[in-house]
Amino acid sequence: MAHWFHRNPLKATAPVSFNFYGVAGSPAANKICNDLRTTRARLLEMFTDVTCNPEIIKNATDAYFSLLQGFILSLDGTTQENKMRFIQNFKWTDTLQGNTPSAQQDAVFELVSMAFNVALWYTKFASRLAGKENITEPEAKDVHRSLKVAAGIFKNLKEVHIPRLITPAEKGRDLEPRVIDAYIIQCQAEAQEVTIARAIELKHNATLIAALAFETANFYQKADHTLNTLEPECSSKWRKYLQLKQHFYMAYAYCYHGQTLLASDKCGEAIRSLQEAEKCYSRAEALCKEYRQTKGPGTTAKPSEQLFFLKLGGVIKNTLEKCQRENGFIYFHKVPAEAPQLELKASYGLAEPILFELPSLSEQCTAEVYATFDLTKGAKNDKAKPKEEEVKPVKEPDLKPQKDTGCIVS
């Protein structure tokens, strides 16, 4: 398959001790605090462990979030906020803002920031698998599913949890609508790339492939437009990726639409469609160079040298030459001056986000244990509080795109 996907860096966070100095007034309350600290640390470790898989990450996520909800959900039978929600300060960086963290004293901020990183992990897992040589069919399905899981997490955060924050996200930060919308749409578009590869490999009809490619190009365009009001220094590289993928899949759409026209004996229109495919492909090639030269957050690669990119160039060239030969021998059709209007709708294969749900509240978090947390006993120990921890960048594994042999999913 040998797909290549741009990836922004993981969010970094300061360590959190959950050490509440007398507020936790029972052994059971202390155990919750200790378990929060250890499950959080374990989940953060998983993000950079290349042996980690979706099952491991889900178990680690559930272990932490089932406890963290004990500081968010109402446990005393009233509609009032959980008294523990605002006791701990959390610091997180943002994927586009370098190492400058945001901080909020709010367990909901921690929930959405950590879940955001979980979604990013799924996108990076998918990217790592998709770039492998000789990818198997189950692995291709894992890529497809992981991207839809990530889209579902981002969508759930946007619709359910981010609106609960007391302090709204600042402009350009991960939790603001433009950024999170771009992530949702990108995940859906990339999932559809896997579908297109599968459809081509199984020799589905050209009409379906053209429609899927057209829908995918539109997704990339929509994601790019979502980011067009962000500061260029933090979004330019990401936007170049979205633009090059848009033109690449428009080239796909015109190429396969041309095949459909040729099969319908509309050879002149087919030639014009293939000429437009060449034009889109050339624009994508130019954007690949611009992407490499643009500074900003995210991976560095040479997308125009990837096999998935080179292969399409060959398909367009060969199909156009075939159309021109047929027109010279059989059809003698005039080639229209205007490119055909693509009004293609895919009936199948569109990627929808997979619904994300938080795990159930941990059995440790009962109303009885909750009652033993006493906020009045925390203030007198202020002097004993440690210095604020700094936020260190995440050292991510170096995942360079592998050289592909040309094998595709069988």
Side-chain angles (χ1 to χ4, degrees):
M1 185 157 63
H3 284 291
W4 166 78
F5 303 131
H6 168 93
R7 290 293 174 257
N8 290 325
L10 285 166
K11 294 164 75 68
T13 182
V16 179
S17 69
F18 293 101
N19 198 348
F20 294 136
Y21 304 104
V23 171
S26 68
N30 274 313
K31 185 174 189 319
I32 287 173
C33 295
N34 289 335
D35 289 350
L36 276 166
R37 180 173 64 252
T38 55
T39 55
R40 185 183 198 265
R42 174 168 165 71
L43 179 53
L44 291 171
E45 283 174 14
M46 293 298 100
F47 291 146
T48 54
D49 184 347
V50 291
T51 65
C52 187
N53 60 38
E55 184 183 0
I56 294 170
I57 206 83
K58 185 178 188 316
N59 290 339
T61 303
D62 286 354
Y64 181 51
F65 283 171
S66 66
L67 288 164
L68 186 64
Q69 287 185 93
F71 283 11
I72 297 171
L73 301 176
S74 178
L75 300 180
D76 58 4
T78 71
T79 56
Q80 291 184 329
E81 287 285 4
N82 187 310
K83 66 186 177 187
M84 299 298 290
R85 175 176 168 179
F86 304 109
I87 193 173
Q88 175 68 55
N89 192 45
F90 298 96
K91 279 186 182 180
W92 284 89
T93 62
D94 294 86
T95 55
L96 302 179
Q97 301 291 340
N99 208 41
T100 307
S102 299
Q104 289 195 34
Q105 196 152 321
D106 187 348
V108 173
F109 178 68
E110 166 71 359
L111 175 74
V112 295
S113 299
M114 186 68 83
F116 199 102
N117 245 16
V118 172
L120 289 176
W121 179 88
Y122 275 101
T123 69
K124 287 170 184 275
F125 175 75
S127 181
R128 189 162 67 243
L129 266 188
K132 277 182 65 176
E133 294 181 17
N134 307 324
I135 185 171
T136 64
E137 186 175 339
E139 286 172 330
K141 287 180 179 175
D142 279 346
V143 172
H144 192 248
R145 179 177 173 78
S146 294
L147 290 165
K148 293 196 295 179
V149 168
I153 295 172
F154 287 130
K155 188 169 185 284
N156 178 266
L157 295 179
K158 180 195 170 189
E159 293 174 356
V160 180
H161 301 290
I162 292 173
R164 295 189 61 198
L165 289 171
I166 305 298
T167 308
E170 297 170 36
K171 289 181 179 180
R173 299 284 181 179
D174 289 335
L175 307 184
E176 72 122 305
R178 292 173 297 179
V179 176
I180 205 159
D181 277 341
Y183 277 114
I184 294 168
I185 300 163
Q186 180 182 335
C187 288
Q188 289 179 271
E190 290 174 349
Q192 283 176 201
E193 289 193 47
V194 181
T195 306
I196 291 167
R198 180 75 173 159
I200 291 169
E201 180 215 336
L202 294 179
K203 295 182 169 58
H204 281 290
N205 70 62
T207 307
L208 173 64
I209 295 167
L212 276 172
F214 183 61
E215 300 267 21
T216 303
N218 286 341
F219 265 137
Y220 278 118
Q221 184 181 46
K222 186 179 174 185
D224 176 48
H225 287 175
T226 302
L227 296 174
N228 66 6
T229 52
L230 282 186
E231 293 296 325
E233 58 266 24
C234 65
S235 63
S236 289
K237 193 172 188 71
W238 191 8
R239 290 192 63 200
K240 291 293 181 191
Y241 165 76
L242 299 170
Q243 290 162 12
L244 76 85
K245 283 290 183 84
Q246 180 210 336
H247 285 86
F248 180 76
Y249 280 98
M250 282 303 290
Y252 248 121
Y254 277 114
C255 177
Y256 280 86
H257 185 57
Q259 292 181 24
T260 302
L261 291 168
L262 180 62
S264 306
D265 297 325
K266 296 177 180 177
C267 197
E269 291 177 45
I271 289 171
R272 187 63 188 86
S273 192
L274 267 298
Q275 288 172 342
E276 197 64 23
E278 272 192 329
K279 199 191 298 184
C280 292
Y281 185 79
S282 295
R283 179 65 186 128
E285 207 165 23
L287 282 162
C288 286
K289 289 174 186 168
E290 289 176 31
Y291 172 85
R292 283 169 55 188
Q293 292 162 0
T294 303
K295 292 182 179 178
T299 47
T300 301
K302 299 177 180 177
S304 57
E305 295 177 15
Q306 298 294 310
L307 188 64
F308 82 93
F309 194 90
L310 298 170
K311 200 180 283 183
L312 176 61
V315 172
I316 293 170
K317 181 174 179 288
N318 294 339
T319 311
L320 178 57
E321 287 175 356
K322 178 186 175 183
C323 289
Q324 288 168 332
R325 277 198 311 273
E326 299 291 307
N327 206 39
F329 279 108
I330 303 168
Y331 295 103
F332 305 104
H333 289 168
K334 185 180 178 182
V335 177
E338 294 293 320
Q341 287 293 311
L342 296 184
E343 295 176 356
L344 307 171
K345 269 314 234 190
S347 306
Y348 309 99
L350 295 177
E352 287 298 324
I354 291 174
L355 181 69
F356 171 70
E357 291 181 335
L358 288 171
S360 302
L361 182 67
S362 169
E363 292 178 358
Q364 292 174 243
C365 302
T366 64
E368 291 74 25
V369 176
Y370 178 73
T372 66
F373 284 99
D374 186 352
L375 298 189
T376 64
K377 294 186 178 175
K380 64 183 179 184
N381 288 317
D382 276 353
K383 291 179 183 174
K385 286 187 178 178
K387 288 189 296 183
E388 282 197 6
E389 296 275 7
E390 65 173 315
V391 180
K392 295 177 181 174
V394 180
K395 289 183 179 177
E396 297 188 51
D398 185 18
L399 302 175
K400 290 179 180 172
Q402 298 187 29
K403 192 173 181 183
D404 188 50
T405 58
C407 298
I408 52 176
V409 187
S410 59

